Amino acid sequence: MSGAGDEPFIAAVKPLVDAMGGEMIPPDEAGPDDVVLSWEGTDAVAVRLPQLADSLDHILAAMERRKGMPLADLDRKAKQEVVRILEARGAFSVRHGVETVASALGVSRFTVYNYLNREKGT
């Protein structure tokens, strides 16, 4: 990407970029929507952020890894917890977010809405 002195910095931010589904690119290839990270006064790397819908897929995949099983195999209480976490992270503001989450959980859109409404009632 940039100079050899930047290597530890780039290695340090890579897990974060990977976890959020971003892409690391040379800073001189950065577009207006990319985030350029500087290290010791020099542009070290640019990060191309994913589209929101792609982020939701990444979040769902990370939750599956954390739970150690497909989200559809979780019990009802665990699925409600997943919906709570996803709501806090803005998953349902993404176009087709409810449908995407419902599909990952193996439930209907109606069930996801019920989980969301149950949270608002408590």
Side-chain angles (χ1 to χ4, degrees), residues 14-74:
K14 186 175 183 344
L16 175 62
V17 173
D18 290 346
M20 64 186 195
E23 176 186 357
M24 297 173 77
I25 58 173
D28 58 346
E29 294 179 17
D33 294 332
D34 298 328
V35 179
V36 177
L37 303 177
S38 296
W39 179 249
E40 297 179 343
T42 305
D43 291 346
V45 66
V47 177
R48 181 157 293 154
L49 300 172
Q51 297 299 310
L52 246 56
D54 295 338
S55 291
L56 180 54
D57 290 337
H58 258 81
I59 291 167
L60 289 167
M63 292 184 92
E64 233 171 50
R65 283 192 304 275
R66 204 170 304 125
K67 298 286 185 188
M69 66 175 68
L71 297 178
D73 293 347
L74 298 174

